[in-house]
Structure formats: C-alpha cells, structure tokens
Amino acid sequence: MTTTADTKTLTTVPGEGRVTAVTYQRVSTKEQATTGGRDEGFSIPAQREANRRKAETLGAQVVAEFVDAGESARSAKRPGLQQLLDYIATHQVTYCIVHKVDRLARNRLDDVDIHRHLIDAGVQLVSATENIDDTPSGMLLHGIMSSIAEFYSRNLAAEVTKGMTQKVAAGGTPSRAPIGYLNIRRTDDQGREYRTVEIDPDRAPLIRWVFDTYAKGEHTVPDLLAEATARGLTTAPTPKRPSGPVGRSTFFKILRNPYYIGQVRYQGALHPGAHEPIVDPQTWQRVQILLDTRATAGERRRKHDHYLKGTLYCGTCMSRLQLDYARNKQGIRYAYYICTGRATKRTSCTRKAVPVGVAEQLVADCYQQIAITEHTYAQLRAARTAGRSGVR
C-alpha cells in the first residue's frame, strides 16, 4: 500500500505563554486520500477543517499539521505520526487535535503509548468530535473510545477474512489475478455489478508458451524470461502503473503459481477455482519437477561449464563450491573450485581454492573406495545363484 506523510509547519505565535496546537489527519487507504473518498464520512480536508475549528474554540493557533494518507492505524509506525511525536518533543505545544481518537490508534496498547508521549511533552489530547479531556470522566471516555476502536478494527479484519474465505470456497479469486488473466467488472441481468476473472487474450498464449517451453527442459529460467520478453510478455497495466517488463522474481512466481491450472492458493491451502485454466496439469507438474531438480543440483547453464559443477560442497563449512577461472603469471588460464562461503564471506571458512584436476581426482578416489570390488561382486553373484537354486 502506498503511504504518504505530509507535514505542514505554520507560522508560530511569538511570546511566552502562547496557546498552540498541532493537528493530525489520517485516512486508511491511498484511494481515500487521492480520489476524495470518505473514511467514516470524513476525508482529510474535512478532518483538517474540523480540527481547525476546534483549535479556534480553544483559542489556540495551529502551528503544525501532520497527515498520514494511506496508513492503517493498526500500527503506530506511521511517518506522519512519528513526525508529530518528534515535533512535540522539541516544540512548545499545548494541544494535539484529532478528529476522532481512532485517527491516532486502533488498539489500546498503541493508544496508551502515544498518549504517554503526549503527556511527557506536556501536550493535551483533544478530539474534535468526542468529549475527552484530563478529567476522570474524560479519561474514562477516552478509554472506552479506544476499546471501541480496537474492537472495530479486529471485527472488521475478522469479517474481511470470513468474506475472503467464503469467496475462495466458491471458486473466487481473493486478490488481483496473475499475468495472463484480467480482473473484469460485469453487470448481470438485474443490473447488479459483480467482479470476475477472464483470460487475457494477449498474454495467456505467451504464458502457455512459457510453460510448454520450460517443460521441455532445454531453457534456464533467465533465458526463458529473455525470450518471453522478446516475444512481448509484459505486466498488465493498472490505473496507477503502466504495463512494463516482467521482473525475474515475478517470472519465477509465474512458473510456481497453481492458479494457471485452475487452483487458488489461500492461507497455505489450495482450492478449486472458478476461472479457466491456461496450462494443463501435466505440463505444470513437469515444470515443478524441473524447478525443484535444478534448485537442488544448482546446475544452471552459466558462462563456465564442468561436469562436477553444482555437485561439490566444501568439507569445512558445507557451502557449495563454485567453478571459476583465473590466469597465472605466465598468462595461462586454469579452472578451480572455490568455497562460496569464503568467497561471499558468509562463513569464516579458510579452505583454499581447489584446482579442477585435483577435484576430479578426489571424486574418482572417493568412488574407488565405495565401488564394489570384483571379489565382492563374485560373492554376491554366488549368493544370489544359491538362493535361486534353493527355491522349491
């Protein structure tokens, strides 16, 4: 979610004993801040106007305004709020005015912590719409409103989760559909609007080609991404973001996403989706096996090739050994294996580089030790023959 923190420092009133105030405005989503939407009936401009009117009734001059646009109050780590707390710690402020208590926090723990910062700075919290103050009844009301805000936030989250669960159970898509599909709004015969997912006619054929091609085992993921990009694979445009190249991490997620075979992953489980599959299950499964195999072996096609590459590990720190090339003083180019733990300084390994020839001999010696000797082979053959002759 995009976050916008806006601070406006206004002209201060000179002299001692002045009555000053700071105001804080917040809406939960970026859309509410940029499209003039309403959050519980009030946008940021409406909150600001109400807070200023409250400051006038208190005889206070607003010296600074702080805004968090697109920030949930479930966390106190909001840019505008943190700027406010820093400001009151270094400036003389009489009041902190909010439109409602839940603009500051929607859980009691954060509310207590924020209120403690205000008290330590000698600042009184004032609500433009709620009768809270430092009197016992005002503090009681503050506590009640804070509890109500926390209940509202938790209950809303529970209702959203329940709604999403029901949607997934019915085959719906709980979030934006991946590349290859389009989120569409339709209207039924009774004029009611509903949302559905349809195949993207431009990108779905490319996604199908990506899976079919990778399933053949002849391409690495980076090479496949480069070719798919050359063929025209791009992200779908959104109201805030134009279409663009597919990133490498996004491309990996495409290859791993069961959505393309008609399944929806939600809260760690797979559910049958109502959308049309793009890839057949056999091809998708073949892609998963290839991805798992190559991730384990690490034998991706790189600049340097060797038959042991991706299968050797450091005997000291168990990091993978990587193949590299160097030139000696005579200009002769030679290959060697080096511990990646030492090369990247992820470990304190001190193992030196191993020339490729030495590595090959060590592997051969290892296999020589575990190979079946002719004598052992003869014994096994004799035992097997004897076992067969004893069968009635």
Side-chain angles (χ1 to χ4, degrees), residues 72-331:
S72 170
R74 286 180 293 179
S75 171
K77 296 180 180 180
R78 286 164 269 151
L81 176 61
Q82 295 303 315
Q83 292 169 8
L84 184 152
L85 297 179
D86 291 340
Y87 184 88
I88 64 173
T90 56
H91 294 76
Q92 187 272 317
V93 177
T94 310
Y95 300 109
C96 174
I97 304 175
V98 295
H99 184 261
K100 294 176 68 176
V101 171
D102 65 6
R103 297 301 87 196
L104 277 180
R106 279 194 168 171
N107 69 73
R108 287 169 289 180
L109 184 62
D110 284 344
D111 181 79
V112 170
D113 186 56
I114 295 170
H115 201 202
R116 178 181 60 81
H117 278 85
L118 296 175
I119 293 175
D120 291 346
V123 180
Q124 181 178 342
L125 178 64
V126 175
S127 170
T129 58
E130 300 156 338
N131 190 24
I132 62 171
D133 51 36
D134 291 336
T135 64
S137 59
M139 295 178 67
L140 174 62
L141 179 60
H142 182 181
I144 293 173
M145 298 307 298
S146 176
S147 298
I148 291 175
E150 181 172 12
F151 167 78
Y152 174 83
S153 179
R154 291 180 179 271
N155 184 65
L156 180 61
E159 290 298 318
V160 169
T161 300
K162 182 172 67 175
M164 286 295 184
T165 302
Q166 293 175 345
K167 182 177 183 179
V168 170
T173 303
S175 58
R176 178 172 292 277
I179 299 173
Y181 292 91
L182 296 174
N183 293 88
I184 304 295
R185 293 189 180 187
R186 298 293 188 192
T187 303
D188 61 17
D189 296 337
Q190 300 179 357
R192 295 174 300 187
E193 185 181 83
Y194 66 95
R195 298 182 181 182
T196 186
V197 172
E198 297 181 357
I199 286 183
D200 186 337
D202 297 326
R203 295 174 177 82
L206 289 171
I207 294 296
R208 190 177 296 110
W209 175 86
V210 164
F211 277 89
D212 290 341
T213 303
Y214 191 77
K216 297 176 182 178
E218 300 174 356
H219 288 70
T220 64
V221 173
D223 289 345
L224 187 62
L225 172 58
E227 189 168 345
T229 302
R231 288 172 174 259
L233 181 63
T234 59
T235 60
T238 67
K240 296 181 181 179
R241 186 176 301 171
S243 177
V246 177
R248 185 170 178 175
S249 62
T250 301
F251 194 70
F252 269 101
K253 291 178 181 178
I254 289 175
L255 293 173
R256 288 291 195 182
N257 198 342
Y259 195 90
Y260 295 107
I261 56 172
Q263 296 183 344
V264 177
R265 183 186 288 121
Y266 182 67
Q267 293 187 340
L270 292 178
H271 306 267
H275 61 281
E276 181 181 350
I278 293 178
V279 181
D280 65 87
Q282 293 76 18
T283 300
W284 188 85
Q285 190 60 42
R286 173 62 178 163
V287 168
Q288 306 316 300
I289 293 173
L290 284 172
L291 290 172
D292 293 338
T293 303
R294 293 179 177 182
T296 302
E299 295 182 348
R300 296 169 290 177
R301 190 169 75 243
R302 297 184 181 90
K303 182 178 180 181
H304 309 307
D305 291 316
H306 187 265
Y307 69 93
L308 291 176
K309 185 175 63 178
T311 58
L312 300 181
Y313 290 82
C314 176
T316 302
C317 68
M318 297 307 296
S319 298
R320 193 185 299 275
L321 297 183
Q322 70 179 31
L323 179 66
D324 206 348
Y325 285 78
R327 293 185 184 275
N328 58 21
K329 294 181 180 179
Q330 289 74 35

